[in-house]
Amino acid sequence: MNKPRETFGSRIGMLLAMAGSAIGLGNIWRFPYTLGQNGGAAFLLLYVIMLVIICLPVMISEYLLGRRGASNPFRTFDNLAPGSKWRWIGSVAVLASACILSFYCVVGGWSFKYLFEACTGGLMSYQGSYADFFGAFISNPWKPLLYTLLFLGLTGLIIAFGVRKGIERMSKIMITLLFVIIVLVVIRSLSLPGAGQGVRYMFVPDFSKVTANTCVAAMGQAFFSLSIGCGCILTYASYVHKDENIAASSGWIAFFDTSFAVIAGLAIIPAVYAIAQMNGVDPDVSAGPGLVFITLPGVFKSMPLGGVAALLFFLALMLAAITSAISLMEVVVAYVIEELKRSRLHAVLICFLLCGGVGVFCSLSFGPLDGFKLFGLSVFDFFDYITSNIMLPVGGLLLAVFAGWRLKRANYLDELTNGGKLNIPRWLCLTIYYLVKFVAPLAILLIFINCILS
Ligand code: PFF
């Protein structure tokens, strides 16, 4: 006899678990530097537009398909379109999640290391340049591996406790803590003299910086940040009760995620401006991936109470990374449990070995495997590239096509309104449906073509 499928215990638990998946390194590590590289507020505005007209409808659809199919991504498509080739999309989603987790856990490991150094005082007492500190750490053959595997092990441990006792319980605690901490860091950052310049940079748009690439960057960031296109929302949705309001929950998650990205920006950018002004240098908010690991420690070091701010910040980064890693691992674990008929613990072990194995190569690509290239990219960049630029957009495109064209309109609207029980205005349901059917696939296709051509 099959055991009954697990479900989330409460609405708030489900919302926080999904928000935990969305809020991650994408918000704290990637968003501020992508904003910095793409003209500040103009990027923010574009991001919100993309979010509302493309990503939110796709997210609603992934959620809707997940709840209706009620299984892992592979089985979900088989349940919804029995015997068709669509189930292979589900398998690709599982593969995409495993690939993302393989490089995500490396950056998760770096946050773990910085948290450790912030706790022991090693980060603030360091005398050299933080570029050297970071460079020496990531190129070391052993240390980053250790932190990567520790990070992955902690993720696996939480998942091993199951949906309610592991994922839901830890997401509730971690996301609440994360919000409190990041608000404290924002207060510290905004209270620095000269911080206003940074706030202005974030909220006063400069449209001269908007190019076709800005649009692509905004859309790619929105996909990554909302965790859409690789089966995470689909898998979590399969644990959701049938009476949940899908459109409202998706709206809330997108709202939490975007607010959090803006809050994380407010924690970082004003502080970078303030400290640059104090030191009489130009603020560098477009420092790329090093913004958080190289620029920010220097900023913390120069400000009063910087040690506490650094500790809180890297704790926030670690919590955000782990709640997202949990959702990525759960996609693979659900698949292994249901399709390969393994116990949860066994599935976690398989996933740890698989993603940890690939993660080792991603980590080593900053050190001993520096010269080894796949299609001209380091192993880390290769996984980052194929997942963010290819697998997520293709996954999102196929999800939108399936929801808009394969699932009948009546079924889509039926699922959206819980069989007519919810009072959602018909114009709103139809707008969502047509955004999914026409606008989202076309727009995603454009990102995809751009990725191939660039
Ligand atoms: N949304 C996560 C972040 O912003 O860091 C990353 C992520 C998680 C992407 C889960 C995709 C995914 F399926």
Coordinates of all heavy atoms in Angstrom, one line a residue, residues 21-22 24-27 100 104 224-225 227 230 232 324 327-328, ligand 1:
S21 N 11.6 29.4 -0.8 CA 12.2 28.9 -2.1 C 12.6 30.1 -2.9 O 13.7 30.2 -3.5 CB 11.2 28.0 -2.8 OG 11.7 27.8 -4.1
A22 N 11.7 31.1 -3.0 CA 11.9 32.2 -3.9 C 13.0 33.2 -3.3 O 13.9 33.6 -4.0 CB 10.6 33.0 -4.0
G24 N 16.3 34.0 -1.9 CA 17.5 33.3 -1.7 C 18.7 34.1 -2.2 O 18.6 35.3 -2.1
L25 N 19.7 33.4 -2.6 CA 20.9 34.1 -3.0 C 20.6 35.0 -4.2 O 21.2 36.1 -4.4 CB 22.0 33.1 -3.5 CG 22.6 32.2 -2.4 CD1 23.4 31.1 -3.0 CD2 23.4 33.0 -1.5
G26 N 19.5 34.7 -4.9 CA 19.1 35.5 -6.1 C 18.7 36.9 -5.6 O 18.9 37.9 -6.3
N27 N 18.1 37.0 -4.4 CA 17.7 38.3 -3.9 C 18.9 39.1 -3.2 O 19.0 40.3 -3.4 CB 16.6 38.2 -2.8 CG 15.4 37.4 -3.3 OD1 15.6 36.2 -3.7 ND2 14.3 38.0 -3.3
I100 N 21.0 23.1 -10.8 CA 21.1 24.4 -10.0 C 21.6 24.2 -8.6 O 22.5 24.9 -8.2 CB 19.7 25.1 -9.9 CG1 19.1 25.5 -11.3 CG2 19.8 26.4 -9.1 CD1 17.8 26.1 -11.3
Y104 N 24.6 26.1 -6.7 CA 24.0 26.9 -5.7 C 24.7 26.6 -4.3 O 25.0 27.4 -3.5 CB 22.5 26.6 -5.6 CG 21.7 27.7 -5.0 CD1 21.2 28.8 -5.8 CD2 21.3 27.7 -3.7 CE1 20.4 29.8 -5.3 CE2 20.5 28.7 -3.2 CZ 20.1 29.7 -4.0 OH 19.3 30.7 -3.5
F224 N 14.7 33.5 -12.1 CA 15.5 32.9 -11.1 C 15.0 33.1 -9.7 O 14.9 32.3 -8.9 CB 17.0 33.4 -11.3 CG 18.0 32.7 -10.5 CD1 18.5 31.5 -10.9 CD2 18.4 33.2 -9.2 CE1 19.4 30.8 -10.1 CE2 19.3 32.5 -8.4 CZ 19.8 31.3 -8.9
S225 N 14.6 34.4 -9.5 CA 14.3 34.8 -8.2 C 13.0 34.2 -7.7 O 12.8 33.8 -6.6 CB 14.2 36.3 -8.1 OG 14.1 36.7 -6.8
S227 N 11.9 31.3 -8.6 CA 12.1 29.8 -8.6 C 11.1 29.2 -9.6 O 10.6 28.1 -9.4 CB 11.8 29.2 -7.3 OG 12.6 29.7 -6.3
C230 N 11.6 25.2 -13.0 CA 12.3 24.0 -12.8 C 11.7 23.0 -11.8 O 12.4 22.2 -11.2 CB 13.8 24.2 -12.5 SG 13.9 25.0 -10.9
C232 N 10.2 23.5 -8.9 CA 10.2 23.7 -7.4 C 8.7 24.1 -7.0 O 8.2 23.5 -6.0 CB 11.1 24.9 -7.0 SG 12.8 24.3 -6.8
S324 N 16.2 28.1 0.0 CA 16.0 27.9 -1.5 C 16.6 26.5 -1.8 O 16.1 25.8 -2.7 CB 16.7 29.0 -2.3 OG 16.2 30.2 -2.0
S327 N 14.2 23.7 -1.3 CA 13.2 23.5 -2.4 C 13.8 22.8 -3.6 O 13.1 22.0 -4.2 CB 12.5 24.8 -2.7 OG 13.4 25.7 -3.4
L328 N 15.1 23.2 -3.9 CA 15.7 22.5 -5.1 C 15.9 21.0 -4.8 O 15.6 20.2 -5.6 CB 17.0 23.2 -5.3 CG 17.0 24.6 -6.0 CD1 18.3 25.3 -5.8 CD2 16.6 24.5 -7.5
Ligands
PFF1 N1 14.9 31.6 -6.1 C1 16.2 31.3 -5.6 C2 16.9 32.5 -5.3 O1 16.5 33.6 -5.6 O2 18.1 32.4 -4.8 C3 16.9 30.4 -6.5 C4 16.2 29.3 -7.1 C5 15.6 28.3 -6.2 C6 16.0 29.1 -8.5 C7 14.8 27.3 -6.7 C8 15.3 28.1 -9.0 C9 14.6 27.3 -8.1 F1 13.9 26.3 -8.6

